[in-house]
Amino acid sequence: MIKFRAWDDREKEYIKDVLIGSDCKIYFDDGVATQDDLDISVDQFTGLKDVNGKDIYEGDIVKVWSDVSELTMEPTVNEIVSEDFFGKTGMFLKPLRAHVIEPCLHDSWNNQFEVIGNVHANPELLEADK
């Protein structure tokens, strides 16, 4: 099953129980709409959970620790994005600093992730490390 969540930019909160139909309409508790009808952003579930068991979605901001790094090493902060620098679709870690290629999230199975926010409610987390 493909799961989604939708950020309502007017209300500054997530809409619960969102389904995307094959007709590209968005179905939620209060009715049906197209994305153009609402001021919302739709984020797809990556299929992965963080170290606390929380679902990781596109648009989440995560701290990443690598299993190959030392425990004292500071984690990196990345945004979860749905395409890489070259436009290839998938789920990728977008580094805060410029890199040529973002690592694919699913290739990073030896890493540990912790969701610390999302691009909608916590954009300042993406600026903190610059």
Side-chain angles (χ1 to χ4, degrees):
M1 177 202 310
I2 300 174
K3 292 186 345 181
F4 296 91
R5 66 180 182 190
W7 176 260
D8 183 338
D9 205 39
R10 292 183 190 141
E11 299 295 323
K12 304 290 187 214
E13 63 184 20
Y14 280 104
I15 300 170
K16 304 277 189 226
D17 301 320
V18 176
L19 298 172
I20 309 294
S22 59
D23 56 2
C24 294
K25 290 185 179 175
I26 300 166
Y27 296 84
F28 52 97
D29 285 345
D30 295 335
V32 178
T34 65
Q35 192 165 355
D36 294 335
D37 295 337
L38 303 169
D39 193 8
I40 63 170
S41 298
V42 178
D43 302 329
Q44 184 175 339
F45 177 51
T46 65
L48 300 173
K49 294 186 180 285
D50 77 353
V51 295
N52 299 311
K54 185 174 182 178
D55 290 347
I56 302 175
Y57 284 84
E58 171 188 6
D60 277 341
I61 301 169
V62 295
K63 283 186 181 180
V64 182
W65 292 267
S66 172
D67 286 350
V68 296
S69 67
E70 296 178 23
L71 293 176
T72 58
M73 181 179 256
E74 285 292 316
T76 59
V77 175
N78 303 85
E79 177 186 348
I80 306 298
V81 294
S82 61
E83 63 180 43
D84 71 3
F85 180 78
F86 301 105
K88 180 180 171 187
T89 58
M91 290 295 171
F92 297 89
L93 294 168
K94 179 180 178 185
L96 289 183
R97 294 181 182 85
H99 289 278
V100 176
I101 299 174
E102 297 89 353
C104 178
L105 189 64
H106 293 279
D107 290 342
S108 303
W109 57 269
N110 63 332
N111 292 338
Q112 293 184 346
F113 307 99
E114 180 183 15
V115 175
I116 59 171
N118 65 72
V119 297
H120 309 292
N122 314 102
E124 71 280 0
L125 293 174
L126 295 174
E127 299 171 6
D129 201 29
K130 288 185 179 179

